[in-house]
Amino acid sequence: MAPSVVHLPNGQILTVSPVFAGFSFKANELNLHNSAFPPGWTIIIESQEDEDNEIAVDGQDNHDHLKKSPARRYRNPTLRDDNMFISSISNPSSTDFKPPTSPTRQIAMMVWATLWWYFHQPKPNPHTRGTNPNVPEAGRPKGEWRINIKREGIFKGKHLLPKLERMGIIMSEDSCVGERIDDRTGEGWNRMFVSQRAFWLMDPRIFLFSPSPTTHSPFPGASPYPSRPSSPNREGFALSRPDSHAETAQGPWTTQAQSPGPFTSGSHLPTYYPPPPTLFTFTNNIRHPLRQKPPAQGETFYTRFIPSVGQYLSFRTASLSHKSPTHRGPVSDSIPPFLPPNSGVTHSTLPSISNMSIQPNDTDLLHTWMNDPRVNAMWGEAGPRAHQEAFLRTALNSRHSFPVIGCWDGKPFGYFELYWVKEDHLGRQLSSHDFGNWDRGIHALVGEQEFRGPHRVRVWLSALVHSCWLADPRTERVMLEPRVDNLNGNRFIQYMVDVGFYKEREISFPHKQAALMKIRREGWEAPVL
């Protein structure tokens, strides 16, 4: 089995190579260092099939009475029979990076990255034999794709699996306390697992972070701040830059470019924050939760490498700046095979099409896109540049939605709006039981011809839904209301069905007849890869 390359959403790249009974994971950027053992870890993964391959029915766990067949070497994912544990860890040199303040968080990060690799593998056949093997495969029950976490290797520790379960990265169907007073055997933690659906609902910002470099670490080679004196100001005091080294560090777990984005952290800590407590307010006589402020203008809030396209997809808030927001996130074609240590050059400082400000600004993009007859037929916002600027200002000042620019490898391709259904005009057309306080809606247009096509539509549409699930765990539905007479409407509706939407009914707005399309969190499995 050939080595595979894993692109994490923070831009970090891992090489996964087969080893005896498992796989080794190594961070590519540490190949620049002279360490003989670059940081990484090794997993053992095996497949062990139940002799009676049934699935749980009515919430009952069939595991207790099932017998296991002998374990066999992992070749391809199975629906429920793969068992995995981390057997060893190679930590960074203590002369380069400080030891992790929370080893459990570091292990959780490795588990998450391993699961990212695993759930990018070809999906196994979802059908099981069920209780009647004579039923044709198409009519057999479906099971949920999951991988079992085996209590071996570093997972043998008494407190590690309970901590990982509290962090939400692993789970169990056994939710009882148990009658053992002193459970030294850890029997209550022997049947842990992670399902595909649960994994994709985990926010990666909880688990991805970077270690803190030491003062004399060769990481980053491009940062001049630790080796140069501070600049004096008019009062004679030094202008210190205490966070500069942290913000530009290029270590084994850092992003390729430290710019404002979902994974940027000068403190080298996870960047996830839970949603605020629920408080209510009124807008236009509608009682709704007090909404958290959206990401700032130009800020990237979602990024993910799309293997089927070979590019990074990202979404950022639109900007009124007269300059195009510089994209400093990861891109697929800006990763050189080798950079010498202490060369003064890092991935983020290398010039590329994506990080050079040669793109039109967002107002100019909207002016071009909205004046395209294809787009104007649906949006009706054609006109002079001042009209699109006013349109964008209105969108940025909205309290229930915000404008979004989608990018492939940093190049803008479309305009989107993410809104809260309850305060939107859509909410006024629905009864209260049709939506919840946290349900979201999407408006969409693709302006660049080169980025059109069925597969890309499915990718960015499922990614927008994914971003809504991650933005607030209380969001249970995402909705779209495309116009039914759209020349491409039937195809677009089919694309929505392909990624999990269903048409509930049609709605009559003052300005259009629309198809109400919905997708539910509980029916969503994974983004299109």
Side-chain angles (χ1 to χ4, degrees), residues 302-493:
Y302 182 94
T303 181
R304 183 166 56 87
F305 182 76
I306 310 299
S308 60
V309 178
Q311 294 177 315
Y312 279 92
L313 171 66
S314 61
F315 297 107
R316 61 170 175 82
T317 306
S319 172
L320 276 172
S321 173
H322 66 280
K323 294 183 179 179
S324 173
T326 303
H327 178 81
R328 299 187 184 277
V331 294
S332 60
D333 60 353
S334 66
I335 307 167
F338 175 76
L339 287 177
N342 300 317
S343 63
V345 179
T346 65
H347 293 103
S348 61
T349 59
L350 285 172
S352 68
I353 294 298
S354 62
N355 62 26
M356 297 173 64
S357 295
I358 59 176
Q359 301 285 353
N361 61 40
D362 291 349
T363 303
D364 290 336
L365 285 172
L366 281 178
H367 176 63
T368 300
W369 294 343
M370 292 297 189
N371 281 281
D372 184 327
R374 172 182 60 85
V375 175
N376 184 54
M378 304 316 311
W379 283 72
E381 295 293 345
R385 186 182 184 280
H387 178 77
Q388 279 80 44
E389 182 176 353
F391 173 87
L392 185 54
R393 287 183 185 277
T394 300
L396 288 167
N397 284 312
S398 173
R399 294 188 177 184
H400 79 278
S401 68
F402 69 99
V404 174
I405 299 294
C407 302
W408 288 104
D409 272 349
K411 184 175 181 180
F413 74 92
Y415 173 82
F416 309 92
E417 291 174 348
L418 299 180
Y419 62 86
W420 298 105
V421 172
K422 193 168 189 180
E423 301 100 276
D424 189 74
H425 65 275
L426 174 59
R428 303 186 191 101
Q429 300 291 327
L430 304 177
S431 58
S432 59
H433 67 270
D434 286 332
F435 59 87
N437 283 324
W438 307 98
D439 291 349
R440 305 293 289 260
I442 300 173
H443 296 141
L445 76 84
V446 174
E448 296 297 326
Q449 186 68 27
E450 65 176 297
F451 295 119
R452 298 181 65 195
H455 182 66
R456 286 188 186 265
V457 172
R458 296 184 186 101
V459 169
W460 61 250
L461 181 57
S462 69
L464 282 171
V465 172
H466 189 206
S467 73
C468 292
W469 300 147
L470 298 182
D472 198 309
R474 296 166 292 189
T475 298
E476 293 296 333
R477 303 176 192 86
V478 175
M479 306 181 194
L480 278 88
E481 9 90 19
R483 211 169 76 188
V484 294
D485 71 329
N486 186 345
L487 295 177
N488 296 317
N490 291 334
R491 283 186 292 172
F492 186 45
I493 290 174

Side-chain angles (χ1 to χ4, degrees), residues 138-262:
R140 295 177 187 174
K142 292 183 179 181
E144 188 173 47
W145 184 14
R146 63 171 62 173
I147 184 171
N148 303 305
I149 305 301
K150 199 169 184 179
R151 196 169 179 270
E152 297 287 346
I154 67 167
F155 294 153
K156 274 188 174 181
K158 179 180 179 182
H159 302 293
L160 181 56
L161 289 184
K163 288 182 178 180
L164 294 178
E165 194 267 347
R166 288 290 180 263
M167 294 174 69
I169 196 170
I170 62 175
M171 56 207 65
S172 171
E173 292 180 347
D174 180 7
S175 57
C176 68
V177 175
E179 60 186 46
R180 291 178 179 268
I181 298 177
D182 185 12
D183 186 9
R184 296 180 183 273
T185 63
E187 290 183 0
W189 302 93
N190 287 335
R191 295 172 187 163
M192 310 305 294
F193 68 91
V194 185
S195 70
Q196 178 202 31
R197 188 192 311 271
F199 172 75
W200 286 111
L201 292 176
M202 299 176 191
D203 196 316
R205 295 173 300 168
I206 300 174
F207 304 104
L208 294 181
F209 65 97
S210 60
S212 300
T214 59
T215 304
H216 303 291
S217 169
F219 303 95
S223 175
Y225 304 125
S227 59
R228 293 183 180 180
S230 301
S231 301
N233 61 13
R234 294 178 182 272
E235 286 73 26
F237 296 98
L239 293 175
S240 62
R241 304 183 68 171
D243 296 330
S244 299
H245 182 57
E247 290 176 352
T248 56
Q250 296 289 321
W253 295 103
T254 58
T255 60
Q256 290 180 4
Q258 296 291 336
S259 59

